């Protein structure tokens, strides 16, 4: 998917919502457990319920891998079910030496390899350029690089200062020098809006994937005010607050209500802060 | 597996060799491609040929994932085939927020979840403590944390200095404060022996997993001289130089010759440098 495709979709939907498919078989409504593939049955209904209110889906790969080969099947069926219009993110936090990252890239980007065809994959920056570049060799595919994460351990290393600048800023700056950096996005935790404002001064144009609105406690208005650029530049992820809005038979309806409510708030912020 | 089990195995085998199962269907001998599961058929023969000369096996998860559900099946069969005596490492470079790392831990450590039962998993440190701790909650299971990697991009961030100390030293020091740190090992690239000597001053007791001897060009004697402690403290990985020693029908025999030759060199270094 191109930058323009994504922005056009955001503009027409008036939404920059990404729905995180962190589907845990231990948490889905019990009436689905008799289905042949409960995880896919759940995802299918979640997708049907939210597809009009979001522009992106982000399966968290750990939840599928934890179920082994069966989990990979559920993931494949889910990916086939998501319409092409939606930007798909493999939240995998991969990153290894070049030839190995090349195989992870094939895993998520090359359907003739693993059967999966994501638009983007999240990548950890610790191993540097040659761990990231193989992902960018795939045309119209995106890397979403970890920059500043919202978890408690995020500060252990990401905020350590090097020549007066925290590590996450070094990651932002250095990665801009890499080939294909125009197809890079960044994971930026939403817990502190002032960080987002600061990050915007370093990378004004790139999209930020912002988790932490919802279960992790970020603030949608602040993130939008400080993070939005003239092409929106934000994908806000919500997972548990949407997909587990109810654990009864009404789970899809409740998920839809939640997604719709976020989308309606987003429409306001797009009018207000996404100024050409 | 316990520290003592591992050291006893090293002592009896006179080997600290880890065989990397980076099994690429595009590289295995063509006569295996007619097998129902060529990757497993290859691994089985490699294991039979090398089991007497190594103490550990390290499947590189990317190579299996790139084949989707079928790859996971080959991985499961491979894991079932490796004898319990051998320390098994999922080279996966995972790491995510706590609940997600918990699922990756289940993936690799809990056979009732994914069918896999590794002794250790490689983890990237970028997201800090709560991305690593869930792996250490599993009894007798190990985390092998990335510290200093041997790839060209390794220097992009790992050698940046914070208060006069490179990031990889901060990772070594900080992670020592975490609960379960006695079940932590570290990935240390073998390209520069002086780095290993320096790292030994910071973490004298922990095992180091050293890739890069072989295809990546490290030096076994130097690494052993500078890296060994009184409980060996080293696992040296060789992948391609062993498993692709030949691509003919004699591949297993050639792999055995290569593993045996490394083991014989290791026996000398154990006598010389592993002094109680």
């Amino acid at each position: 998917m191109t930058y323009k495709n994504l922005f056009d979709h955001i503009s027409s939907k008036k939404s920059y919502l990404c729905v995180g498919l962190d589907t845990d078989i231990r948490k889905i409504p019990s009436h689905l457990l008799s289905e042949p593939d409960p995880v896919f049955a759940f995802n299918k209904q979640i997708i049907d319920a939210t597809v009009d209110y979001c522009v992106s889906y982000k399966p968290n790969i750990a939840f599928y891998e934890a179920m082994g080969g069966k989990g990979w099947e559920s993931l494949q069926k889910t990916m086939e079910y998501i319409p092409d219009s939606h930007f798909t993110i493999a939240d995998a936090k991969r990153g290894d030496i070049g030839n190995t990252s090349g195989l992870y890239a094939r895993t998520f980007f090359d359907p003739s390899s693993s059967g999966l065809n994501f638009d983007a994959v999240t990548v950890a920056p610790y191993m540097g350029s040659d761990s990231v570049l193989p992902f960018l060799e795939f045309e119209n595919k995106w890397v979403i690089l970890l920059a500043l994460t919202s978890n408690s351990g995020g500060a252990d290393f990401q905020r350590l200062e090097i020549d007066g600048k925290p590590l996450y800023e070094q990651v932002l700056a250095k990665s801009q020098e890499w080939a294909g950096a125009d197809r890079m996005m960044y994971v930026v935790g939403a817990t502190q809006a002032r960080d987002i404002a600061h990050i915007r001064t370093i990378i004004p144009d790139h999209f930020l994937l912002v988790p932490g609105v919802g279960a992790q406690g970020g603030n949608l208005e602040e993130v939008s005010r400080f993070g939005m650029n003239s092409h929106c530049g934000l994908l806000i992820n919500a997972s548990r607050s949407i997909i587990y809005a109810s654990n009864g038979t009404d789970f899809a309806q409740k998920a839809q209500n939640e997604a719709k409510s976020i989308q309606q708030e987003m429409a306001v912020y797009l009018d207000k802060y996404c100024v050409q």
Side-chain angles (χ1 to χ4, degrees), chain A:
Chain A
M1 187 176 291
T2 66
Y3 191 99
K4 187 179 179 305
N5 294 151
L6 178 57
F7 181 54
D8 286 351
H9 194 203
I10 289 170
S11 301
S12 68
K13 277 270 176 61
K14 295 194 178 299
S15 170
Y16 42 102
L17 175 62
C18 172
V19 174
L21 298 172
D22 297 15
T23 309
D24 188 336
I25 192 142
R26 299 168 302 182
K27 283 192 189 165
I28 65 179
S30 55
H31 72 279
L32 293 176
L33 296 178
S34 57
E35 296 278 341
D37 185 340
V39 167
F40 175 62
F42 178 83
N43 285 352
K44 187 171 175 293
Q45 289 194 55
I46 290 286
I47 293 164
D48 287 341
T50 58
V51 71
D52 291 338
Y53 305 102
C54 70
V55 294
S56 177
Y57 288 101
K58 180 175 74 64
N60 183 331
I61 305 303
F63 288 75
Y64 302 87
E65 281 195 353
M67 299 181 69
K70 216 171 134 186
W72 276 84
E73 258 180 55
S74 306
L75 179 60
Q76 275 178 334
K77 283 190 268 179
T78 300
M79 287 304 294
E80 280 162 21
Y81 195 72
I82 296 172
D84 288 343
S85 53
H86 284 60
F87 188 75
T88 49
I89 301 167
D91 197 357
K93 313 281 202 300
R94 299 298 195 263
D96 207 314
I97 60 170
N99 78 324
T100 302
S101 271
L103 279 155
Y104 281 126
R106 285 179 59 206
T107 303
F108 296 112
F109 291 160
D110 178 359
S112 74
S113 179
S114 69
L116 299 172
N117 191 12
F118 281 92
D119 293 305
V121 60
T122 57
V123 176
Y126 191 75
M127 293 184 69
S129 57
D130 59 317
S131 69
V132 179
L133 291 170
F135 292 98
L136 294 167
E137 283 168 15
F138 284 74
E139 206 177 350
N140 289 330
K141 300 292 187 179
W142 295 75
V143 161
I144 310 183
L145 199 63
L146 298 184
L148 181 61
T149 62
S150 56
N151 61 313
S152 61
D156 282 341
F157 305 116
Q158 297 162 24
R159 289 187 188 273
L160 293 181
E161 294 214 341
I162 296 135
D163 295 332
K165 285 184 183 165
L167 176 61
Y168 78 84
E169 282 194 44
Q170 307 282 353
V171 168
L172 293 172
K174 185 84 189 173
S175 61
Q176 287 298 297
E177 300 166 11
W178 298 340
D182 55 318
R183 278 178 291 108
M184 198 104 75
M185 301 183 179
Y186 295 91
V187 173
V188 172
T191 49
Q192 296 188 43
R194 63 178 179 179
D195 291 323
I196 295 188
H198 178 60
I199 286 166
R200 269 289 171 237
T201 65
I202 307 168
I203 43 161
D205 299 327
H206 287 71
F207 264 83
L208 310 179
L209 172 64
V210 185
V213 176
Q216 291 173 59
N219 179 317
L220 181 56
E221 194 279 330
E222 277 199 348
V223 170
S224 304
R225 177 152 43 107
F226 293 111
M228 209 172 271
N229 63 23
S230 64
H231 287 78
C232 182
L234 290 175
L235 288 172
I236 305 270
N237 183 74
S239 300
R240 285 168 278 179
S241 64
I242 292 178
I243 70 173
Y244 301 132
S246 157
N247 69 357
T249 52
D250 63 346
F251 78 96
Q253 184 59 51
K254 288 285 163 66
Q256 183 171 69
N257 296 351
E258 181 67 20
K260 188 175 178 180
S261 149
I262 296 174
Q263 181 274 321
Q264 287 175 336
E265 207 179 326
M266 286 179 166
V268 175
Y269 304 142
L270 277 167
D271 277 347
K272 203 164 166 186
Y273 302 123
C274 181
V275 185
Q276 300 280 335

